[in-house]
């Protein structure tokens, strides 16, 4: 069989399985808006863990981590993985549980609903809406574009004589072109989200999280055996790692202040609108206990093998033009057989799609709930109309995202960091809303406008994310842009809140008593 | 007990920044010591969060108006 064709068949079978899961999920759908958007608050600890973890781990975790370890060395694990293990759980514990409780009590579906109620302000919704959508779209693009690239790399050689499948790079020639791979991924995710809603998304996330965790470990073992050529796994690991250059097994050339300020990046999960929606699906506050405890361990299980594979790649002769994003797909293709390569591609796609689904659903929910529903009046829409409204917007979001994905490609890692930095800079707002009575609507406006103003300025300064090494110099210290944005928005929020009138006593009583 | 748990979280964040583990020693012959140190931090984080769920859980936030079978459980 031609090179790449086996992988294409396996990928097609995997995507078909997901379509079947979508049909199965549609049978579980209870027909109500609450069930479509929040799974009727029925998600228990295991499904909550799998859906939260699957949603936070995207192409960034597999393709981005191995590529960045290839470039920067093992420091990438401390920079994002172990810090996320501490901080993500902190956000679930301090923010997730409390928002879940308020959401259950007052019937919120989205972040914007919560902020409108907490701040007695309709305008905060109008202000946050374009910003949240604008930050989620690049996050979606990371997945859609990485998926298309991975499929093309892994199926290279399948159709070498087809004009549409030709590519100047031999490593990609004859593979499914990115526009077609991305289209297939978007279509499959759209089908199971469209029919299954949040319940279908939660089940698909659980299935896909298991797939990418297991196949990630299998990749690690197989690549170690292929590169090591020894009789035991331990000997393989020793042989392969002993060849890695000094700067890749240490953090020698990584700026300490940059490493330190990366701690702010994982705070982004506190403001992810798609995680907010997942939090509200929990059946009880106790459902959060398993995700809080297991999240750091799950991150470790996924990231350690990817980081080691990334540093092992530095010992190989790779094509001189290889980009960091292509390191893992290239290794899988060159170091394993076609069947395993196909399965591992399915694993990478699982990680990507388990994030895309929640984000598509979340944006559809924001459009239908916070814009159309809010201004038409929720009471004027039946459950059936609300569900179809959400579905219509989900289709629109998928079409727009796919269209944007055809326009270009940047580093998964750099794009991810900018996207996370934007959400992290809004973190002071959610913490203040939950724990600071003195927060005012004007303080919130100042926080959001300062955050987005600083973000846009620095993003432009970094050549729109093209400069992957971009950092801000504070005196002689090199820090991540998120530091400047985070503290600017925090100061603006506190100062403006202190000089403007607080929300009504009635509102404060609802949220704090 | 809550204060002890917050102190442990802060200690974790401080040792997360340790720089000494610029050392290229390979634990078990294959695991860079810096990476091993942070695998330890990940495991410690899970343990600290376990303590938080046992000793500092916000039970007052529990809310249940829909008793029934849990999805997936």
């Amino acid at each position: 069989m031609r090179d790449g064709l086996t992988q294409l068949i396996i990928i097609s079978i995997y995507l078909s399985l997901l379509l079947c899961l979508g049909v199965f999920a549609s049978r579980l759908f209870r027909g109500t808006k609450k069930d479509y958007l929040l799974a009727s608050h029925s998600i228990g600890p295991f499904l909550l863990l799998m859906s939260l973890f699957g949603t936070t781990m995207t192409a960034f975790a597999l393709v981005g981590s191995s590529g960045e370890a290839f470039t920067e060395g093992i420091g990438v694990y401390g920079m994002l993985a172990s810090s996320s293990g501490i901080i993500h759980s902190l956000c679930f514990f301090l923010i997730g549980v409390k928002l879940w409780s308020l959401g259950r009590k007052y019937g919120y579906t989205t972040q914007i609903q919560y902020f409108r109620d907490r701040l007695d302000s309709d305008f905060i919704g109008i202000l946050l809406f374009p910003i949240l959508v604008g930050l989620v779209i690049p996050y979606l693009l990371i997945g859609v574009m990485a998926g298309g690239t991975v499929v093309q790399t892994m199926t290279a050689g399948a159709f070498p004589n087809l004009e549409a499948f030709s590519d100047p790079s031999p490593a990609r020639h004859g593979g499914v072109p990115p526009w077609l791979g991305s289209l297939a991924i978007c279509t499959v995710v759209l089908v199971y989200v469209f029919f299954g809603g949040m319940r279908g998304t939660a089940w698909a996330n659980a299935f896909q999280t298991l797939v990418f965790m297991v196949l990630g470990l299998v990749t690690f073992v197989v690549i170690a055996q292929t590169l090591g050529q020894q009789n035991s796994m331990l000997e393989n690991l020793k042989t392969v790692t002993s060849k890695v250059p000094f700067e890749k097994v240490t953090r020698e050339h990584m700026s300490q202040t940059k490493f330190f300020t990366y701690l702010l990046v994982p705070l982004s999960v506190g403001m992810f609108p798609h995680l907010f929606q997942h939090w509200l699906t929990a059946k009880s506050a106790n459902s959060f206990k398993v995700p809080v405890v297991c999240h750091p361990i799950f991150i470790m299980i996924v990231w350690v093998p990817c980081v080691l594979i990334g540093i092992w790649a530095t010992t190989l002769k790779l094509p001189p033009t290889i980009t960091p994003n292509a390191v893992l797909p290239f290794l899988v293709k060159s170091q394993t057989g076609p069947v395993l390569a196909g399965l591992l591609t399915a694993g990478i796609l699982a990680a990507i799609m388990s994030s895309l689904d929640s984000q598509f659903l979340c944006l559809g929910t924001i459009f239908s709930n916070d814009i159309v529903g809010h201004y038409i009046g929720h009471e004027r829409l039946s459950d059936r109309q609300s569900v179809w409204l959400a579905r219509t917007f989900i289709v629109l979001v998928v079409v727009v995202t796919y269209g944007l994905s055809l326009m270009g490609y940047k580093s998964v890692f750099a794009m991810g960091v900018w996207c996370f930095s934007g959400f992290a800079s809004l973190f002071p707002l959610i913490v203040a809303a939950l724990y600071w009575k003195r927060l005012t609507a004007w303080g919130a406006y100042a926080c959001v406008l300062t955050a987005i103003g600083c973000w846009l300025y620095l993003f432009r300064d970094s050549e729109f994310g093209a400069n992957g090494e971009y950092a801000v110099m504070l005196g002689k210290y090199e820090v991540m842009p998120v530091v400047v944005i985070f503290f600017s928005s925090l100061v603006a929020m506190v100062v403006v809140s202190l000089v403007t009138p607080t929300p009504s006593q009635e509102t404060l009583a609802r949220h704090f008593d | 007990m809550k204060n002890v748990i917050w102190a442990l979280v802060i200690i974790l964040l401080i040792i997360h920044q340790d720089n000494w583990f610029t050392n290229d020693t390979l634990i078990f012959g294959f695991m860079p010591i810096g990476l091993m140190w942070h695998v330890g931090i990940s495991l410690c984080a899970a343990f600290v969060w376990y303590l938080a769920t046992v000793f500092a859980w916000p039970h007052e936030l529990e809310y249940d108006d829909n008793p029934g079978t849990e999805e997936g459980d």
Side-chain angles (χ1 to χ4, degrees):
Chain A
M1 196 178 280
R2 269 202 305 270
D3 190 24
L5 205 53
T6 308
Q7 290 91 314
L8 182 59
I9 291 168
I10 292 171
I11 293 166
S12 303
I13 291 171
Y14 179 70
L15 294 179
S16 304
L17 266 177
L18 279 174
L19 286 175
C20 294
L21 190 70
V23 173
F24 166 72
S26 69
R27 292 176 176 227
L28 297 173
F29 176 42
R30 298 173 189 173
T32 65
K33 174 189 170 189
K34 192 172 164 183
D35 195 64
Y36 190 75
L37 301 178
L38 297 174
S40 300
H41 306 293
S42 65
I43 301 296
F46 174 72
L47 260 190
L48 188 64
L49 164 67
M50 299 307 266
S51 51
L52 288 177
F53 181 70
T55 301
T56 50
M57 293 297 120
T58 174
F60 193 78
L62 294 176
V63 179
S65 63
S66 50
E68 196 67 6
F70 171 75
T71 310
E72 297 282 347
I74 57 166
V76 66
Y77 183 85
M79 218 160 61
L80 274 171
S82 54
S83 57
S84 295
I86 302 169
I87 289 171
H88 285 186
S89 288
L90 178 74
C91 290
F92 298 167
F93 186 83
L94 284 183
I95 297 172
V97 182
K98 192 152 186 174
L99 280 174
W100 171 85
S101 182
L102 289 166
R104 288 301 304 272
K105 208 180 285 183
Y106 302 124
Y108 306 135
T109 304
T110 65
Q111 270 174 330
I112 287 176
Q113 260 184 315
Y114 165 68
F115 283 118
R116 275 177 168 151
D117 191 33
R118 164 68 179 84
L119 297 165
D120 276 343
S121 163
D122 186 60
F123 181 69
I124 190 71
I126 296 168
L127 186 62
L128 272 177
F129 169 73
I131 290 169
L132 292 177
V133 172
L135 286 171
V136 172
I137 292 275
Y139 198 176
L140 277 168
L141 289 174
I142 293 169
V144 172
M145 294 192 294
T149 303
V150 166
V151 170
Q152 184 185 32
T153 306
M154 301 306 281
T155 58
F159 301 103
N161 302 322
L162 281 180
E163 182 60 33
F165 286 44
S166 68
D167 191 280
S169 164
R172 294 191 292 266
H173 180 69
V176 174
W179 67 266
L180 186 55
S182 295
L183 180 64
I185 289 167
C186 285
T187 305
V188 169
V189 173
L190 176 61
V191 166
Y192 73 75
V193 172
F194 186 92
F195 289 109
M198 179 54 92
R199 193 183 302 279
T201 298
W203 278 104
N205 271 353
F207 169 66
Q208 298 197 94
T209 301
L210 284 173
V211 167
F212 78 71
M213 286 179 79
V214 170
L215 290 176
L217 289 171
V218 171
T219 309
F220 175 72
V221 171
V222 171
I223 289 179
Q225 281 177 341
T226 313
L227 296 178
Q229 300 288 343
Q230 303 297 314
N231 294 326
S232 74
M233 185 62 191
L234 185 60
E235 287 305 314
N236 285 327
L237 292 172
K238 286 179 178 176
T239 304
V240 182
T241 312
S242 64
K243 299 173 190 166
V244 178
F246 174 79
E247 68 271 17
K248 301 298 180 190
V249 292
T250 63
R251 203 186 66 191
E252 184 71 16
H253 64 296
M254 203 177 265
S255 154
Q256 252 191 289
T257 47
K258 199 172 171 184
F259 183 86
F260 173 60
T261 52
Y262 248 96
L263 271 178
L264 290 176
V265 174
L267 291 173
S268 52
V269 301
M271 271 303 287
F272 281 162
H274 46 288
L275 272 195
F276 180 97
Q277 202 167 340
H278 270 295
W279 286 337
L280 289 183
T281 64
K283 177 176 168 53
S284 69
N286 281 336
S287 299
F288 281 83
K289 287 183 176 178
V290 173
V292 163
V293 175
C294 294
H295 197 77
I297 296 172
F298 274 36
I299 289 178
M300 182 185 77
I301 291 170
V302 170
W303 276 70
V304 169
C306 286
V307 167
L308 284 172
I309 289 171
I311 62 169
W312 292 345
T314 61
T315 67
L316 304 174
K317 282 187 177 173
L318 301 181
T321 56
I322 196 164
T323 61
N325 297 339
V327 168
L328 183 65
F330 179 84
L331 274 183
V332 167
K333 184 109 194 274
S334 61
Q335 305 297 327
T336 67
V339 173
L340 195 54
L343 287 171
L344 299 173
T345 309
I348 294 172
L349 294 183
I352 291 168
M353 293 194 288
S354 63
S355 301
L356 286 181
D357 50 16
S358 304
Q359 292 157 348
F360 283 145
L361 181 64
C362 146
L363 287 188
T365 305
I366 291 176
F367 273 107
S368 61
N369 199 70
D370 297 326
I371 301 300
V372 180
H374 180 74
Y375 291 109
I376 286 180
H378 291 291
E379 66 285 349
R380 293 176 61 184
L381 293 167
S382 69
D383 255 8
R384 185 180 161 80
Q385 287 172 319
S386 295
V387 168
W388 276 101
L389 192 61
R391 282 175 164 167
T392 304
F393 280 116
I394 288 166
V395 173
L396 278 175
V397 168
V398 174
V399 169
V400 168
T401 303
Y402 176 68
L404 289 173
S405 76
L406 302 176
M407 294 171 66
Y409 189 64
K410 293 242 187 330
S411 160
V412 163
F413 198 86
M415 204 183 217
V417 168
W418 275 103
C419 177
F420 298 159
S421 296
F423 283 113
S425 63
L426 295 171
F427 183 77
L429 179 62
I430 189 73
V431 172
L434 288 170
Y435 291 100
W436 190 40
K437 289 183 180 181
R438 196 66 188 75
L439 174 70
T440 69
W442 286 101
Y445 306 155
C447 175
V448 174
L449 290 170
T450 305
I452 207 64
C454 288
W455 188 91
L456 286 170
Y457 175 80
L458 294 173
F459 186 58
R460 198 191 66 161
D461 202 40
S462 74
E463 298 158 39
F464 300 99
N467 179 359
E469 297 299 309
Y470 183 76
V472 177
M473 297 305 293
L474 293 180
K476 61 177 182 176
Y477 297 110
E478 187 183 29
V479 300
M480 291 296 291
V482 68
V483 175
V484 176
I485 312 171
F486 181 94
F487 285 103
S488 301
S489 67
L490 175 63
V491 169
M493 180 184 75
V494 171
V495 170
V496 175
S497 287
L498 290 175
V499 296
T500 50
T502 54
S504 68
Q505 283 306 312
E506 185 191 357
T507 298
L508 292 178
R510 272 160 58 82
H511 286 268
F512 289 96
D513 293 343
Chain B
M1 194 61 193
K2 275 186 183 179
N3 291 338
V4 172
I5 285 160
W6 293 128
L8 288 172
V9 171
I10 290 165
I11 289 168
L12 272 179
L13 290 170
I14 291 169
I15 62 173
H16 177 273
Q17 293 301 308
D18 174 86
N19 205 39
W20 183 83
F21 287 103
T22 49
N23 186 318
D24 66 347
T25 304
L26 297 177
I27 304 291
F28 309 129
F30 76 91
M31 191 72 159
I33 194 168
L35 189 56
M36 193 72 198
W37 175 243
H38 273 242
V39 165
I41 286 176
S42 294
L43 294 171
C44 286
F47 180 66
V48 168
W49 290 121
Y50 168 72
L51 292 178
T53 62
V54 174
F55 297 109
W57 193 250
H59 294 287
E60 69 279 8
L61 294 177
E62 194 55 88
Y63 180 91
D64 191 1
D65 63 353
N66 180 27
T69 307
E70 289 178 351
E71 194 74 37
D73 297 302

